[in-house]
Amino acid sequence: MYDRLKGFRDFYPGKMRARREAMDAVEASAAGYGFREIDTPALERMQMYVDKSGEEIADELYSFTDQGGRDVALTPELTPTVARMVVAKGQALSKPIKWYSTRKFWRYEEPQSGRNREFYQTNVDIFGSSEPASDAEVLAVTSDALRNLGLGSSDFEFRVSHRDILGGLLRSFDADVDVRAAIRAVDKSEKIDADEFHRLLRDAGLTDSQAVRFDDLLDAGENDLDELVDFAGENVQSAVENLRNVLAAAEDYGVREDCTVSLSTARGLDYYTGVVFECFDRTGDVNRAVFGGGRYDDLIESFGGQPTPAVGVAAGYSTLSLLLQRAGVWPDEELRTDYYVLSVGDVRPVALDVARDLRAKGHTVETDVSDRSFGSQMNYADSINAETVVIVGERDLEDDELTLKDMETGNQVAVPVDDFPDYERPTIEDYE
Amino acid sequence: MYDRLKGFRDFYPGKMRARREAMDAVEASAAGYGFREIDTPALERMQMYVDKSGEEIADELYSFTDQGGRDVALTPELTPTVARMVVAKGQALSKPIKWYSTRKFWRYEEPQSGRNREFYQTNVDIFGSSEPASDAEVLAVTSDALRNLGLGSSDFEFRVSHRDILGGLLRSFDADVDVRAAIRAVDKSEKIDADEFHRLLRDAGLTDSQAVRFDDLLDAGENDLDELVDFAGENVQSAVENLRNVLAAAEDYGVREDCTVSLSTARGLDYYTGVVFECFDRTGDVNRAVFGGGRYDDLIESFGGQPTPAVGVAAGYSTLSLLLQRAGVWPDEELRTDYYVLSVGDVRPVALDVARDLRAKGHTVETDVSDRSFGSQMNYADSINAETVVIVGERDLEDDELTLKDMETGNQVAVPVDDFPDYERPTIEDYE
C-alpha cells in the first residue's frame, strides 16, 4: 500500500462537496464584481522567487532542477505569476485588469491545523488603479464572499493597516532603521511577547525607548490617526489620508463595519506598499489571521513592466474552513442525490430512458450499474441520500406503471409511465 | 522580465472562459450521473509510478527528492492516486464508488499541438462493478459531455476494443508471446506503417506470418466477432461476449451509435484489462486519439486492496479543444458583462447601491474603481462587452433619475431611481 505525502490531503466526496461550496461562494462574489477567471502554471522559474525574497526562500519551497536543467519551483503564491502575466502582455490589456483564480499552491512548511504543504487559495486582484475605490472593492468582494457563506459582522473583521504609515513612523525616529526588518517584526508582533518584539525592533535599528514608543503608536485606532500625523508629520500624512479614503470608500461599498484600523497588522511579504489587511475571527477562537491581502504598487515595475498599481487578496481555504466551522456555517458534507432509478427485472431500456429524462431537467440521477437486487439497490439509494426512488419493475411495466418512493417519508405512489416525468422536479405529491 | 516555462501555459480571461465552459460541460455530465467530485494531491511518491511502469517512467515525469528526502513526482495521471485512495478506505466506501475530478497533470514530454507539459484532465471512474452497464455508463457520461458541448454523431466516435480479446488472440498463436509488448505495439499501430508494426510484433515473439495474421484479425468489425472466436476459441470467447454485452448496454444508454469496434485500439498503459476505448474525430482532421479510457480490474488489488473492478475515462482538454475547434463549437472567448454602472460626479454611494442591487439578482456588474471620465468609463464598458450601462449622474440624481443605455443599439432611457432595478434583468425596453 502506498501512503500519501505528509502535508497533502485526499478529499473524498463529502469533504470535497463542502469545500467546493466554499470555493463557489468566493468565486461567485468575485465574478459578480466583474473579476475574470485566469489560470496559471504550477511551476515557475525559481529565480522569480529568489529575486523577490532572497536565496533563503528555497527552504520554504518545493524546488528542483528539471530534466532540461531549469531551476524551477512549485508556486508558493500567485502574485509573482500574475505580475509576470501582466508584464508579458504589456499595454495590450485594458485597465483596470480584474482577475481571479482558485488553485493550489505548495510550501515546504511544518503542517499544523489550518496549514498544509499543499493548499487552495482564491486570489482576487486589480491592476491599474491606485484609487481607494479599488482597495475597497477588494475588501467588498471578500466581505460579500464571507457573507454568502453565512458569516455575519460578529464573526469576522478585516484588520486594516498601511505599509506607508508603518514606514513613515519608523523613518520619523532619529535612527538608521531597516524598515523592511521592522515591518517583518510588526507582522510577527501578535505571535510573540512585547520583549521579543522590542528586541526585533532594536535589531532593526531602533533604540529601546524608540521601540517602546513605536509599539505605543501601533495601538492607534481610527480615531487616533491625527496623533500619528502629529508625531510623524509629512512622513505619514498622505498615507493617513489614503487610509481614511479607503475607509470612506469601504463605507460606500457597505463594508465599513467589517474594517478595524489595526497598525500592528503588517503582512509578511516584502512587496506590499499601501493598505494591507488581514481577516480575523472576531471571537478569537481561530487565533491567527484567516487570510489577507493588500496593495503592491511597485511589483509590476520591478518585474520589468510599466508602473502599474495593484491591490489584491488571497483567500486560503484551510484557515477559512476553521472560521466557518467555528461559526457553525461550514457547508454540509452530505452527498445529495435527486433520484435513484431502481430496476427490477429486464427493464434497463425503460429505466435508462426515465433517468435520461430526469437528467435533462438538470437533476442528479443514479441507476444500477451492478445488476443488484431490489434490497441492495434500495440500500445504495439510501447511502447516497436519494430523495426519491423511481422503481421500474417488470410487473409494474405490464400495467404501464412506475412507482415513486419518497425516501424521507417512505410513502410511495404508482405513476403511469407516460405521465413521468411531467414536472420539473416530480415528487410523489405530484401524483397522489 | 521572467519567462514562462516551456510547455506551460498562461490562460488569460478570454481563453479561460472558453476552457471553463468546456470543463463545466464535462463535469455537469458526470455530476448528472451521480459521480461525486474528489480532490487529490499534485505530488505522490515516485515509487508508485516506478512499481507500475518501471524505472524508465522517470524520464517522462517531473520527479525530484523533497527536503525530507522523499522521492516524489508531479502526478502524470490520476488512476494510481484514486487506486491509492480506494485502498486507503478499504471497505468503508459503499460500492459502486463513482468519482470525478478536473485537475492538472504534468509530464516531461516534448510539447506539440494539443500536448503540453502541464495539462488538464477530467477523470471519471467507477469502482466496484464489473457489469457491462458500468463500462457503458462511462461511455454515456463521455458522450453526453461531448453532445452538451455541441458535438454530434458526425463529429466523434468511440473506437472500442477489448484487452482480453487482444490477449486471447495473441495467446492462440503457437509462439511465446510477450503479450504486454505486443499490445503496446497495437497501441502504436495507427502511427506507424505495417512493416514497423510487424517488426514490433516479431520482437514480441510472433513469427512473420503470425504477425500478418494477427494484423488481419485486428480488422474485425462488430460483425466479424464470431470469426475471432472461430480462430481463438475459448481464449477469446468470454471477452467477445463481454464486448457484445457492453455494446448492448451502450444501446440502452443511447450511445451505441457513437461506438465502433476497433481492435487496433489498445491504449498504452499496462493496467487496462477489459474494454478500452479512444475518442476520435470522425472527420479525421484531428488525426490522433482525443482521449480515452477503459477497464482496469486488477489495479486496486495490485495496490494492496480487495479485488475491485474499475472502469474510467480521462478527458484531456488540450486535444478536446482541437476537436471542438475543428467542429466549430469551441466556446466563445468573449468576456460577458451584464451591467456597467457609470458614475459622473460625486455619486459613489448611489452607484454602488445600484450595483449591489443588480449583483443581488445574480448579474455581473462592474463599477468605476479608477475615478475616470465619462468617455473613459464608456470605453472600458465597451471593452468588457457590457450589455447595459447604467449612468448615475449628479444632475440626473437631482431629478431622482438614472439613465440606462443599451450598448448594442445605443438607445437610452431615463429611469426613476426608485424604480430601479425593479426587474430581474432590467433592460431599456422595460422602461421605454
PDB file of all heavy atoms in Angstrom, chain A residues 408-432:
ATOM      1  N   GLU A 408     -37.753  10.066   2.424  1.00  0.00           N
ATOM      2  CA  GLU A 408     -37.836  10.613   3.772  1.00  0.00           C
ATOM      3  C   GLU A 408     -39.065  10.044   4.496  1.00  0.00           C
ATOM      4  O   GLU A 408     -38.956   9.579   5.634  1.00  0.00           O
ATOM      5  CB  GLU A 408     -37.904  12.142   3.731  1.00  0.00           C
ATOM      6  CG  GLU A 408     -37.551  12.745   5.086  1.00  0.00           C
ATOM      7  CD  GLU A 408     -37.646  14.263   5.070  1.00  0.00           C
ATOM      8  OE1 GLU A 408     -37.382  14.874   4.022  1.00  0.00           O
ATOM      9  OE2 GLU A 408     -38.001  14.830   6.129  1.00  0.00           O
ATOM     10  N   THR A 409     -40.212  10.082   3.816  1.00  0.00           N
ATOM     11  CA  THR A 409     -41.443   9.613   4.475  1.00  0.00           C
ATOM     12  C   THR A 409     -41.671   8.121   4.280  1.00  0.00           C
ATOM     13  O   THR A 409     -42.418   7.503   5.036  1.00  0.00           O
ATOM     14  CB  THR A 409     -42.660  10.347   3.885  1.00  0.00           C
ATOM     15  OG1 THR A 409     -42.772   9.993   2.493  1.00  0.00           O
ATOM     16  CG2 THR A 409     -42.516  11.852   4.008  1.00  0.00           C
ATOM     17  N   GLY A 410     -41.061   7.546   3.262  1.00  0.00           N
ATOM     18  CA  GLY A 410     -41.322   6.151   2.943  1.00  0.00           C
ATOM     19  C   GLY A 410     -42.584   5.955   2.132  1.00  0.00           C
ATOM     20  O   GLY A 410     -42.895   4.848   1.689  1.00  0.00           O
ATOM     21  N   ASN A 411     -43.340   7.057   1.895  1.00  0.00           N
ATOM     22  CA  ASN A 411     -44.565   6.951   1.101  1.00  0.00           C
ATOM     23  C   ASN A 411     -44.244   6.641  -0.347  1.00  0.00           C
ATOM     24  O   ASN A 411     -43.221   7.068  -0.874  1.00  0.00           O
ATOM     25  CB  ASN A 411     -45.350   8.266   1.150  1.00  0.00           C
ATOM     26  CG  ASN A 411     -45.818   8.571   2.563  1.00  0.00           C
ATOM     27  OD1 ASN A 411     -45.911   7.663   3.398  1.00  0.00           O
ATOM     28  ND2 ASN A 411     -46.091   9.837   2.841  1.00  0.00           N
ATOM     29  N   GLN A 412     -45.171   5.913  -0.993  1.00  0.00           N
ATOM     30  CA  GLN A 412     -44.967   5.668  -2.407  1.00  0.00           C
ATOM     31  C   GLN A 412     -46.276   5.730  -3.173  1.00  0.00           C
ATOM     32  O   GLN A 412     -47.357   5.662  -2.592  1.00  0.00           O
ATOM     33  CB  GLN A 412     -44.216   4.365  -2.642  1.00  0.00           C
ATOM     34  CG  GLN A 412     -44.856   3.132  -2.051  1.00  0.00           C
ATOM     35  CD  GLN A 412     -43.960   1.923  -2.289  1.00  0.00           C
ATOM     36  OE1 GLN A 412     -42.802   1.911  -1.865  1.00  0.00           O
ATOM     37  NE2 GLN A 412     -44.492   0.929  -2.985  1.00  0.00           N
ATOM     38  N   VAL A 413     -46.163   5.904  -4.479  1.00  0.00           N
ATOM     39  CA  VAL A 413     -47.339   6.086  -5.308  1.00  0.00           C
ATOM     40  C   VAL A 413     -47.050   5.495  -6.692  1.00  0.00           C
ATOM     41  O   VAL A 413     -45.909   5.539  -7.164  1.00  0.00           O
ATOM     42  CB  VAL A 413     -47.699   7.591  -5.395  1.00  0.00           C
ATOM     43  CG1 VAL A 413     -46.610   8.381  -6.094  1.00  0.00           C
ATOM     44  CG2 VAL A 413     -49.030   7.815  -6.077  1.00  0.00           C
ATOM     45  N   ALA A 414     -48.065   4.911  -7.307  1.00  0.00           N
ATOM     46  CA  ALA A 414     -47.928   4.403  -8.670  1.00  0.00           C
ATOM     47  C   ALA A 414     -48.171   5.542  -9.655  1.00  0.00           C
ATOM     48  O   ALA A 414     -49.029   6.403  -9.423  1.00  0.00           O
ATOM     49  CB  ALA A 414     -48.925   3.273  -8.922  1.00  0.00           C
ATOM     50  N   VAL A 415     -47.402   5.557 -10.728  1.00  0.00           N
ATOM     51  CA  VAL A 415     -47.459   6.634 -11.705  1.00  0.00           C
ATOM     52  C   VAL A 415     -47.483   6.022 -13.101  1.00  0.00           C
ATOM     53  O   VAL A 415     -46.677   5.137 -13.392  1.00  0.00           O
ATOM     54  CB  VAL A 415     -46.207   7.540 -11.575  1.00  0.00           C
ATOM     55  CG1 VAL A 415     -46.225   8.629 -12.631  1.00  0.00           C
ATOM     56  CG2 VAL A 415     -46.107   8.132 -10.188  1.00  0.00           C
ATOM     57  N   PRO A 416     -48.388   6.466 -13.976  1.00  0.00           N
ATOM     58  CA  PRO A 416     -48.349   5.976 -15.350  1.00  0.00           C
ATOM     59  C   PRO A 416     -47.016   6.341 -16.022  1.00  0.00           C
ATOM     60  O   PRO A 416     -46.568   7.489 -15.904  1.00  0.00           O
ATOM     61  CB  PRO A 416     -49.520   6.719 -16.026  1.00  0.00           C
ATOM     62  CG  PRO A 416     -50.385   7.190 -14.905  1.00  0.00           C
ATOM     63  CD  PRO A 416     -49.473   7.419 -13.740  1.00  0.00           C
ATOM     64  N   VAL A 417     -46.400   5.387 -16.681  1.00  0.00           N
ATOM     65  CA  VAL A 417     -45.111   5.636 -17.337  1.00  0.00           C
ATOM     66  C   VAL A 417     -45.184   6.865 -18.238  1.00  0.00           C
ATOM     67  O   VAL A 417     -44.273   7.696 -18.264  1.00  0.00           O
ATOM     68  CB  VAL A 417     -44.680   4.411 -18.180  1.00  0.00           C
ATOM     69  CG1 VAL A 417     -43.419   4.722 -18.972  1.00  0.00           C
ATOM     70  CG2 VAL A 417     -44.460   3.211 -17.302  1.00  0.00           C
ATOM     71  N   ASP A 418     -46.300   6.984 -18.949  1.00  0.00           N
ATOM     72  CA  ASP A 418     -46.411   8.063 -19.924  1.00  0.00           C
ATOM     73  C   ASP A 418     -46.463   9.443 -19.278  1.00  0.00           C
ATOM     74  O   ASP A 418     -46.164  10.443 -19.932  1.00  0.00           O
ATOM     75  CB  ASP A 418     -47.670   7.874 -20.792  1.00  0.00           C
ATOM     76  CG  ASP A 418     -47.530   6.632 -21.666  1.00  0.00           C
ATOM     77  OD1 ASP A 418     -46.388   6.143 -21.806  1.00  0.00           O
ATOM     78  OD2 ASP A 418     -48.560   6.164 -22.181  1.00  0.00           O
ATOM     79  N   ASP A 419     -46.896   9.507 -18.003  1.00  0.00           N
ATOM     80  CA  ASP A 419     -47.010  10.799 -17.327  1.00  0.00           C
ATOM     81  C   ASP A 419     -45.711  11.195 -16.607  1.00  0.00           C
ATOM     82  O   ASP A 419     -45.680  12.205 -15.909  1.00  0.00           O
ATOM     83  CB  ASP A 419     -48.129  10.775 -16.264  1.00  0.00           C
ATOM     84  CG  ASP A 419     -49.491  10.615 -16.907  1.00  0.00           C
ATOM     85  OD1 ASP A 419     -49.551  10.633 -18.157  1.00  0.00           O
ATOM     86  OD2 ASP A 419     -50.471  10.454 -16.166  1.00  0.00           O
ATOM     87  N   PHE A 420     -44.658  10.394 -16.748  1.00  0.00           N
ATOM     88  CA  PHE A 420     -43.472  10.665 -15.954  1.00  0.00           C
ATOM     89  C   PHE A 420     -42.289  10.931 -16.852  1.00  0.00           C
ATOM     90  O   PHE A 420     -42.078  10.193 -17.807  1.00  0.00           O
ATOM     91  CB  PHE A 420     -43.176   9.457 -15.055  1.00  0.00           C
ATOM     92  CG  PHE A 420     -42.100   9.762 -14.050  1.00  0.00           C
ATOM     93  CD1 PHE A 420     -42.390  10.400 -12.860  1.00  0.00           C
ATOM     94  CD2 PHE A 420     -40.775   9.432 -14.320  1.00  0.00           C
ATOM     95  CE1 PHE A 420     -41.394  10.691 -11.944  1.00  0.00           C
ATOM     96  CE2 PHE A 420     -39.769   9.728 -13.401  1.00  0.00           C
ATOM     97  CZ  PHE A 420     -40.079  10.349 -12.220  1.00  0.00           C
ATOM     98  N   PRO A 421     -41.452  11.918 -16.562  1.00  0.00           N
ATOM     99  CA  PRO A 421     -41.638  12.953 -15.542  1.00  0.00           C
ATOM    100  C   PRO A 421     -42.286  14.196 -16.149  1.00  0.00           C
ATOM    101  O   PRO A 421     -41.620  14.916 -16.864  1.00  0.00           O
ATOM    102  CB  PRO A 421     -40.216  13.256 -15.107  1.00  0.00           C
ATOM    103  CG  PRO A 421     -39.368  12.962 -16.321  1.00  0.00           C
ATOM    104  CD  PRO A 421     -40.129  12.029 -17.205  1.00  0.00           C
ATOM    105  N   ASP A 422     -43.505  14.434 -15.845  1.00  0.00           N
ATOM    106  CA  ASP A 422     -44.208  15.592 -16.395  1.00  0.00           C
ATOM    107  C   ASP A 422     -43.811  16.902 -15.739  1.00  0.00           C
ATOM    108  O   ASP A 422     -44.002  17.963 -16.317  1.00  0.00           O
ATOM    109  CB  ASP A 422     -45.717  15.413 -16.218  1.00  0.00           C
ATOM    110  CG  ASP A 422     -46.337  14.741 -17.433  1.00  0.00           C
ATOM    111  OD1 ASP A 422     -45.557  14.363 -18.348  1.00  0.00           O
ATOM    112  OD2 ASP A 422     -47.563  14.582 -17.456  1.00  0.00           O
ATOM    113  N   TYR A 423     -43.283  16.825 -14.540  1.00  0.00           N
ATOM    114  CA  TYR A 423     -42.976  18.039 -13.787  1.00  0.00           C
ATOM    115  C   TYR A 423     -41.481  18.328 -13.807  1.00  0.00           C
ATOM    116  O   TYR A 423     -40.668  17.449 -14.107  1.00  0.00           O
ATOM    117  CB  TYR A 423     -43.467  17.901 -12.343  1.00  0.00           C
ATOM    118  CG  TYR A 423     -44.945  17.558 -12.272  1.00  0.00           C
ATOM    119  CD1 TYR A 423     -45.362  16.232 -12.260  1.00  0.00           C
ATOM    120  CD2 TYR A 423     -45.908  18.568 -12.238  1.00  0.00           C
ATOM    121  CE1 TYR A 423     -46.707  15.915 -12.213  1.00  0.00           C
ATOM    122  CE2 TYR A 423     -47.257  18.260 -12.194  1.00  0.00           C
ATOM    123  CZ  TYR A 423     -47.650  16.929 -12.186  1.00  0.00           C
ATOM    124  OH  TYR A 423     -48.976  16.627 -12.144  1.00  0.00           O
ATOM    125  N   GLU A 424     -41.132  19.542 -13.448  1.00  0.00           N
ATOM    126  CA  GLU A 424     -39.718  19.912 -13.446  1.00  0.00           C
ATOM    127  C   GLU A 424     -38.938  19.093 -12.421  1.00  0.00           C
ATOM    128  O   GLU A 424     -37.804  18.702 -12.665  1.00  0.00           O
ATOM    129  CB  GLU A 424     -39.552  21.410 -13.157  1.00  0.00           C
ATOM    130  CG  GLU A 424     -39.564  22.274 -14.398  1.00  0.00           C
ATOM    131  CD  GLU A 424     -38.712  21.699 -15.531  1.00  0.00           C
ATOM    132  OE1 GLU A 424     -37.493  21.619 -15.366  1.00  0.00           O
ATOM    133  OE2 GLU A 424     -39.278  21.309 -16.584  1.00  0.00           O
ATOM    134  N   ARG A 425     -39.564  18.859 -11.273  1.00  0.00           N
ATOM    135  CA  ARG A 425     -38.908  18.092 -10.223  1.00  0.00           C
ATOM    136  C   ARG A 425     -39.966  17.218  -9.566  1.00  0.00           C
ATOM    137  O   ARG A 425     -40.438  17.495  -8.459  1.00  0.00           O
ATOM    138  CB  ARG A 425     -38.288  19.040  -9.193  1.00  0.00           C
ATOM    139  CG  ARG A 425     -37.382  18.351  -8.189  1.00  0.00           C
ATOM    140  CD  ARG A 425     -36.868  19.313  -7.119  1.00  0.00           C
ATOM    141  NE  ARG A 425     -36.046  18.594  -6.183  1.00  0.00           N
ATOM    142  CZ  ARG A 425     -34.771  18.301  -6.396  1.00  0.00           C
ATOM    143  NH1 ARG A 425     -34.175  18.666  -7.489  1.00  0.00           N
ATOM    144  NH2 ARG A 425     -34.089  17.606  -5.480  1.00  0.00           N
ATOM    145  N   PRO A 426     -40.383  16.163 -10.277  1.00  0.00           N
ATOM    146  CA  PRO A 426     -41.521  15.373  -9.815  1.00  0.00           C
ATOM    147  C   PRO A 426     -41.297  14.740  -8.444  1.00  0.00           C
ATOM    148  O   PRO A 426     -40.246  14.161  -8.176  1.00  0.00           O
ATOM    149  CB  PRO A 426     -41.676  14.307 -10.898  1.00  0.00           C
ATOM    150  CG  PRO A 426     -40.392  14.294 -11.645  1.00  0.00           C
ATOM    151  CD  PRO A 426     -39.809  15.655 -11.531  1.00  0.00           C
ATOM    152  N   THR A 427     -42.293  14.871  -7.575  1.00  0.00           N
ATOM    153  CA  THR A 427     -42.283  14.212  -6.265  1.00  0.00           C
ATOM    154  C   THR A 427     -43.560  13.389  -6.160  1.00  0.00           C
ATOM    155  O   THR A 427     -44.447  13.515  -6.999  1.00  0.00           O
ATOM    156  CB  THR A 427     -42.274  15.258  -5.124  1.00  0.00           C
ATOM    157  OG1 THR A 427     -43.506  15.998  -5.191  1.00  0.00           O
ATOM    158  CG2 THR A 427     -41.119  16.212  -5.268  1.00  0.00           C
ATOM    159  N   ILE A 428     -43.664  12.593  -5.103  1.00  0.00           N
ATOM    160  CA  ILE A 428     -44.851  11.744  -5.021  1.00  0.00           C
ATOM    161  C   ILE A 428     -46.110  12.581  -4.852  1.00  0.00           C
ATOM    162  O   ILE A 428     -47.181  12.189  -5.290  1.00  0.00           O
ATOM    163  CB  ILE A 428     -44.746  10.663  -3.912  1.00  0.00           C
ATOM    164  CG1 ILE A 428     -44.808  11.259  -2.512  1.00  0.00           C
ATOM    165  CG2 ILE A 428     -43.500   9.821  -4.062  1.00  0.00           C
ATOM    166  CD1 ILE A 428     -45.133  10.177  -1.481  1.00  0.00           C
ATOM    167  N   GLU A 429     -45.979  13.797  -4.247  1.00  0.00           N
ATOM    168  CA  GLU A 429     -47.149  14.658  -4.078  1.00  0.00           C
ATOM    169  C   GLU A 429     -47.782  15.004  -5.431  1.00  0.00           C
ATOM    170  O   GLU A 429     -48.993  15.196  -5.531  1.00  0.00           O
ATOM    171  CB  GLU A 429     -46.793  15.964  -3.342  1.00  0.00           C
ATOM    172  CG  GLU A 429     -46.572  15.816  -1.848  1.00  0.00           C
ATOM    173  CD  GLU A 429     -45.197  15.248  -1.517  1.00  0.00           C
ATOM    174  OE1 GLU A 429     -44.298  15.332  -2.382  1.00  0.00           O
ATOM    175  OE2 GLU A 429     -45.031  14.704  -0.407  1.00  0.00           O
ATOM    176  N   ASP A 430     -46.932  15.110  -6.470  1.00  0.00           N
ATOM    177  CA  ASP A 430     -47.466  15.465  -7.779  1.00  0.00           C
ATOM    178  C   ASP A 430     -48.431  14.413  -8.320  1.00  0.00           C
ATOM    179  O   ASP A 430     -49.244  14.704  -9.194  1.00  0.00           O
ATOM    180  CB  ASP A 430     -46.321  15.633  -8.797  1.00  0.00           C
ATOM    181  CG  ASP A 430     -45.445  16.832  -8.463  1.00  0.00           C
ATOM    182  OD1 ASP A 430     -45.998  17.841  -7.988  1.00  0.00           O
ATOM    183  OD2 ASP A 430     -44.223  16.752  -8.681  1.00  0.00           O
ATOM    184  N   TYR A 431     -48.327  13.194  -7.814  1.00  0.00           N
ATOM    185  CA  TYR A 431     -49.107  12.099  -8.409  1.00  0.00           C
ATOM    186  C   TYR A 431     -50.108  11.492  -7.440  1.00  0.00           C
ATOM    187  O   TYR A 431     -50.770  10.520  -7.764  1.00  0.00           O
ATOM    188  CB  TYR A 431     -48.156  11.012  -8.940  1.00  0.00           C
ATOM    189  CG  TYR A 431     -47.267  11.506 -10.060  1.00  0.00           C
ATOM    190  CD1 TYR A 431     -45.983  11.971  -9.793  1.00  0.00           C
ATOM    191  CD2 TYR A 431     -47.730  11.543 -11.370  1.00  0.00           C
ATOM    192  CE1 TYR A 431     -45.164  12.432 -10.817  1.00  0.00           C
ATOM    193  CE2 TYR A 431     -46.916  12.004 -12.397  1.00  0.00           C
ATOM    194  CZ  TYR A 431     -45.636  12.443 -12.116  1.00  0.00           C
ATOM    195  OH  TYR A 431     -44.836  12.910 -13.124  1.00  0.00           O
ATOM    196  N   GLU A 432     -50.184  12.056  -6.225  1.00  0.00           N
ATOM    197  CA  GLU A 432     -51.087  11.464  -5.222  1.00  0.00           C
ATOM    198  C   GLU A 432     -52.540  11.821  -5.493  1.00  0.00           C
ATOM    199  O   GLU A 432     -52.833  12.857  -6.085  1.00  0.00           O
ATOM    200  CB  GLU A 432     -50.684  11.904  -3.812  1.00  0.00           C
ATOM    201  CG  GLU A 432     -49.628  10.965  -3.210  1.00  0.00           C
ATOM    202  CD  GLU A 432     -49.062  11.487  -1.904  1.00  0.00           C
ATOM    203  OE1 GLU A 432     -49.259  12.675  -1.592  1.00  0.00           O
ATOM    204  OE2 GLU A 432     -48.411  10.705  -1.215  1.00  0.00           O
TER     205      GLU A 432
END
